[in-house]
Amino acid sequence: MLDWRTFSSAKGNVIYEDPARIGRTLTTNDPPRHDHLRRLIGAGYTPGRVKAHEERIGTLVDDMIASLDLADFDFVSQLAAPLTGKVIGSLIGVPDEALEQLRVAVDEAFIPTEEYPEGKGLKEVFAFMMDLVAHRRGKPRDDMLTAFLHAEDAGVSMSDEEVAVTCGSILAAGFSSTAHQMSNILLALHSNRAVLRQVLDDASLIPAMIEEGLRYDVGTLSFGRQTTREVELHGVIIPADSRVMILLSSANRDERRFAEPDTFDIGRSDRRHISFNVGIHHCLGSSLARLEMRIAFERLLARLGEFEIDLQRSARVHSLNFRGFRKLRVRT
């Protein structure tokens, strides 16, 4: 993952890449274009912009929890997905009334069907974003999309199409990755009652719980790369121009790195997982994801206490890219 010269992202960063993304996003470019894009996107996706949303995240979480029947609810559709969607939508500048339509489009993009064995892709999301880009050109606002439109780095800027595809990709990641990660952590708590009791007794352990949850059961399973030359790894020759898959979930449980890797241990001293990628493609949204998860779990667990998960009425996502749940039924 650190050797981008050998393992290139220029032909896509997932195994079955949407052609509309290739060369138009941060994650589907190598340097030097990647470096320009990272600085351009970083100019809009700032720590200050994320921090300014902390109060809004808390309000959203409180309102959503207040509307739940805690005796029996779906954690994904009633909390994790709408929370992550509204937060990233607000940052980008997507109207609230469009979020549900976009959430469905994102879900369908990564679910294989007979008609679309590799998923439908994000064309519907990108088309929506192109319309929004055109609207923002005439009516700028204080949001990330407008910031991307006006960002420059050494005379380089983003085209309207790059802004639309970048915003669509950020929205999809916000909808999918973080919501799946939250559902995986909740399941890990349910399956490890001693850890659940620890965090119920001491909420200051929640950040450590989140980091271990990211390592233990990551919501983003893999990334794709293309070899630019023949390379040998662990005695295996990989030819040049080969499509390869980087399994984050496997690396995070590497017994050469982590003691008892299959144990959910929030007291683990080494938490250096790779769930947010490493190197030049480290996730720009990692601080936002951590903030959302911390606030959500602090407030939900304080209200929920001990809980059960009804796996018979829950449903997993089936995807090469993501691991999580479409439905996760919680009971108290």
Side-chain angles (χ1 to χ4, degrees):
M1 294 175 76
L2 295 173
D3 183 5
W4 60 265
R5 290 179 177 85
T6 301
F7 298 98
S8 170
S9 300
K11 293 187 179 179
N13 77 323
V14 294
I15 292 299
Y16 297 116
E17 183 61 85
D18 187 330
R21 296 182 67 244
I22 295 175
R24 298 183 180 93
T25 70
L26 182 66
T27 55
T28 61
N29 272 284
D30 296 329
R33 182 59 180 163
H34 165 276
D35 298 343
H36 283 302
L37 284 173
R38 191 167 185 97
R39 288 190 288 269
L40 290 167
I41 293 167
Y45 205 160
T46 62
R49 193 181 294 276
V50 171
K51 181 68 176 175
H53 270 65
E54 184 167 359
E55 184 176 344
R56 172 171 165 76
I57 294 170
T59 300
L60 285 170
V61 170
D62 287 343
D63 290 346
M64 289 177 187
I65 292 173
S67 71
L68 295 176
D69 176 1
L70 292 177
D72 188 352
F73 67 97
D74 177 19
F75 177 73
V76 176
S77 68
Q78 294 180 269
L79 182 58
L83 171 65
T84 55
K86 286 185 177 182
V87 171
I88 196 62
S90 175
L91 278 164
I92 293 170
V94 176
D96 280 353
E97 59 268 22
L99 287 171
E100 179 59 20
Q101 169 196 345
L102 292 170
R103 184 191 67 77
V104 172
V106 168
D107 280 350
E108 292 179 350
F110 300 107
I111 297 174
T113 64
E114 283 191 21
E115 186 178 2
Y116 301 99
E118 298 167 6
K120 292 174 66 175
L122 291 165
K123 295 177 183 63
E124 183 180 341
V125 177
F126 296 153
F128 175 90
M129 288 297 177
M130 278 300 294
D131 289 342
L132 193 58
V133 165
H135 183 72
R136 283 290 184 278
R137 281 288 186 197
K139 294 185 177 180
R141 282 177 35 179
D142 182 18
D143 54 34
M144 284 202 310
L145 191 154
T146 303
F148 293 162
L149 285 173
H150 293 95
E152 279 196 17
D153 176 59
V156 176
S157 59
M158 297 170 70
S159 69
D160 285 8
E161 189 174 43
E162 285 175 327
V163 171
V165 173
T166 292
C167 287
S169 298
I170 291 172
L171 184 77
F175 267 132
S176 301
S177 302
T178 309
H180 291 326
Q181 187 62 64
M182 289 171 68
S183 65
N184 291 347
I185 291 174
L186 197 70
L187 179 64
L189 286 174
H190 174 259
S191 303
N192 295 270
R193 311 302 285 190
V195 177
L196 174 59
R197 285 189 285 273
Q198 278 184 279
V199 295
L200 289 175
D201 290 341
D202 184 358
S204 71
L205 296 174
I206 286 176
M209 175 204 79
I210 290 169
E211 293 306 309
E212 176 64 352
L214 283 159
R215 183 203 68 83
Y216 180 76
D217 196 356
V218 61
T220 302
L221 285 176
S222 65
F223 290 112
R225 297 288 189 269
Q226 193 95 357
T227 54
T228 58
R229 62 178 178 87
E230 183 181 279
V231 61
E232 180 177 346
L233 288 179
H234 307 290
V236 176
I237 301 294
I238 303 174
D241 204 33
S242 294
R243 202 81 183 123
V244 296
M245 179 184 282
I246 301 167
L247 290 174
L248 307 185
S249 49
S250 178
N252 282 343
R253 293 204 185 191
D254 188 343
E255 66 278 1
R256 296 167 299 180
R257 176 61 180 268
F258 299 104
E260 299 183 2
D262 297 331
T263 300
F264 186 56
D265 177 9
I266 65 172
R268 190 179 296 278
S269 58
D270 185 355
R271 300 198 190 104
R272 288 177 291 175
H273 56 77
I274 61 169
S275 299
F276 289 121
N277 214 323
V278 292
I280 66 169
H281 289 295
H282 183 266
C283 177
L284 279 170
S286 59
S287 60
L288 176 62
R290 287 183 168 108
L291 180 64
E292 289 174 306
M293 289 191 285
R294 176 180 63 77
I295 294 173
F297 280 115
E298 283 175 351
R299 302 191 184 197
L300 177 64
L301 293 175
R303 291 282 307 277
L304 198 58
E306 296 270 358
F307 64 89
E308 298 294 331
I309 288 178
D310 186 346
L311 288 174
Q312 294 298 315
R313 293 193 297 141
S314 300
R316 277 204 173 272
V317 167
H318 298 286
S319 167
L320 284 174
N321 303 317
F322 299 110
R323 174 176 165 83
F325 287 85
R326 289 188 294 110
K327 294 188 296 182
L328 191 65
R329 299 298 309 191
V330 178
R331 299 195 313 251
T332 55

